[in-house]
Amino acid sequence: MKPTKPFLSTVDMVLIALFAVLIAICAWISIPATVPFTLQTFAVLCAMGLLGGKRSTVAILLYLLMGAVGLPVFSNFGGGLGKLLGVTGGYLVGFLAATLVYWLFTKLAGEKYWARLCGMVLGLLVCYAFGTTWFMVAYAPATGPVSLAAALGMCVLPFLIPEAIKVTLAAFIVKVLPARVKALR
């Protein structure tokens, strides 16, 4: 009988844990707002581009589980199910949707640099769609219904330039870092 390959190697598990912690650290770097400005999405984009679909999905899942059990890994040192179910929880869960979209796209298009970059952008769009929809649903009980235009004005438009910068920096890191770090090749 031929031995089966494990789902994740030891190096995979270390990289997954490292990126889950990196996402938490980047979440703590925050400018408070209705939806806080953080470097969290930058870390998620780097995880997708550097770890690939499977490992980045597991890293995001680990990050979300750490937060769900109450570890202060979310923005403003938040944690717990209340944070996941609150107005910004859709963006957190949207990270998982983003990595799944990235994984599917790169599975179909290949692991070429342009495919990874397109997968990161598509994943980010899915995250914003998921998060904004969730925001509209979670925000309504406290203040009444919020229109799509108002939600986009609060949750998307202020972030377009910062997100473009994050995507650009993540794309640069995805291009340069694997050549210098053997585990990422």
Side-chain angles (χ1 to χ4, degrees):
M1 179 180 244
K2 185 178 177 181
T4 60
K5 184 180 175 192
F7 179 69
L8 296 168
S9 70
T10 303
V11 172
D12 291 338
M13 289 187 273
V14 168
L15 288 170
I16 287 165
L18 178 69
F19 273 87
V21 170
L22 180 65
I23 295 166
I25 291 168
C26 287
W28 297 337
I29 302 169
S30 175
I31 298 171
T34 304
V35 176
F37 287 88
T38 69
L39 289 179
Q40 198 171 22
T41 52
F42 170 70
V44 170
L45 292 168
C46 286
M48 288 189 289
L50 294 170
L51 298 182
K54 177 172 75 171
R55 295 185 301 183
S56 64
T57 300
V58 176
I60 298 297
L61 192 56
L62 175 61
Y63 170 71
L64 294 174
L65 288 173
M66 290 188 315
V69 299
L71 294 175
V73 296
F74 301 142
S75 64
N76 300 320
F77 297 95
L81 285 175
K83 188 80 168 176
L84 280 172
L85 298 174
V87 293
T88 60
Y91 296 98
L92 296 169
V93 177
F95 293 152
L96 186 59
T99 58
L100 292 171
V101 166
Y102 175 87
W103 191 359
L104 176 64
F105 186 82
T106 55
K107 196 69 148 171
L108 296 173
E111 290 289 331
K112 298 172 267 321
Y113 177 73
W114 70 266
R116 291 185 296 170
L117 182 59
C118 288
M120 290 187 320
V121 171
L122 284 173
L124 189 59
L125 292 173
V126 166
C127 179
Y128 268 91
F130 197 88
T132 302
T133 302
W134 188 304
F135 176 85
M136 291 172 66
V137 170
Y139 195 72
T143 62
V146 61
S147 69
L148 178 60
L152 290 173
M154 286 188 281
C155 302
V156 177
L157 295 179
F159 298 92
L160 291 178
I161 292 173
E163 293 301 331
I165 293 168
K166 291 175 198 176
V167 168
T168 303
L169 289 173
F172 174 75
I173 288 171
V174 166
K175 182 84 168 169
V176 172
L177 198 61
R180 292 169 173 76
V181 179
K182 183 179 177 184
L184 296 173
R185 289 184 204 148

